[in-house]
């Protein structure tokens, strides 16, 4: 059996690291395709929803300040867009970096994003209930 058969379903819905998380956030800011075909518009909205990040975890103490500020600014900027509502930015302690890195099997990790998905529903709901949305 392959190791991937034992991997949790939620791994398919993670962005691991700053670059993939930022690309996912930036894709939420893209404008809708200019089309009058309702089927194409609905397909585009569905693809946007499946790529939507719900939670971004960042180890503030280990990530460089420009990365932290860039993620924070992007999440705050997107928070007023209808398709980006509900994104939460969660700052974690220094000890969390080692746990996150161990969980995904890499040496260092300061940023993880979780896309909207059923496999992480309990965690997403918990964060939304306990972490306020970003404010300006």
């Amino acid at each position: 059996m392959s190791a991937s058969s034992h991997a949790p379903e939620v791994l398919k819905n993670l962005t691991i690291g700053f670059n993939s998380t930022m690309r996912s956030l930036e894709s939420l800011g893209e404008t809708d395709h200019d089309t009058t075909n309702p089927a194409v518009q609905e397909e585009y909205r569905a693809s946007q929803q499946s790529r939507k990040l719900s939670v971004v975890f960042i180890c503030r103490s280990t990530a460089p300040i420009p990365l932290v500020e860039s993620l924070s600014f992007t999440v705050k900027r997107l928070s007023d867009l209808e398709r980006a509502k509900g994104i939460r930015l969660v700052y974690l302690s220094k000890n969390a970096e080692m746990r996150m890195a161990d969980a995904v099997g890499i040496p260092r990790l300061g940023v993880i994003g979780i896309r909207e998905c059923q496999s992480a529903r309990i965690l997403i709901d918990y964060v939304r209930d306990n972490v306020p949305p970003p404010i300006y």
Side-chain angles (χ1 to χ4, degrees):
M1 274 195 179
S2 69
S4 64
S5 66
H6 298 292
E9 182 69 24
V10 74
L11 286 179
K12 297 176 189 173
N13 295 296
L14 297 180
T15 59
I16 298 176
F18 174 81
N19 289 336
S20 64
T21 302
M22 188 58 95
R23 276 192 300 272
S24 187
L25 287 169
E26 288 172 345
S27 74
L28 293 173
E30 294 174 355
T31 58
D32 292 343
H33 290 333
D34 185 23
T35 181
T36 56
N37 183 337
V40 173
Q41 288 177 345
E42 185 58 36
E43 181 180 327
Y44 178 75
R45 277 192 286 277
S47 72
Q48 284 293 95
Q49 183 64 26
S50 69
R51 294 186 317 184
K52 178 186 174 195
L53 283 180
S54 297
V55 180
V56 176
F57 292 102
I58 184 165
C59 294
R60 183 183 240 170
S61 60
T62 59
I65 292 172
L67 296 184
V68 173
E69 290 175 351
S70 179
L71 276 171
S72 178
F73 175 78
T74 302
V75 169
K76 288 176 184 175
R77 182 179 57 85
L78 291 172
S79 67
D80 64 343
L81 297 176
E82 184 61 38
R83 62 186 168 270
K85 283 203 183 311
I87 300 174
R88 299 295 196 268
L89 187 59
V90 179
Y91 297 105
L92 301 174
S93 70
K94 188 174 188 172
N95 296 336
E97 179 195 18
M98 193 174 358
R99 291 181 185 163
M100 289 189 326
D102 286 344
V104 297
I106 59 175
R108 295 201 62 188
L109 181 61
V111 179
I112 288 183
I114 301 177
R115 289 188 188 97
E116 194 68 37
C117 66
Q118 196 58 40
S119 57
R121 176 61 36 218
I122 292 172
L123 177 60
I124 292 168
D125 288 344
Y126 177 82
V127 170
R128 283 193 179 141
D129 291 343
N130 293 284
V131 176
I135 56 173
Y136 291 99

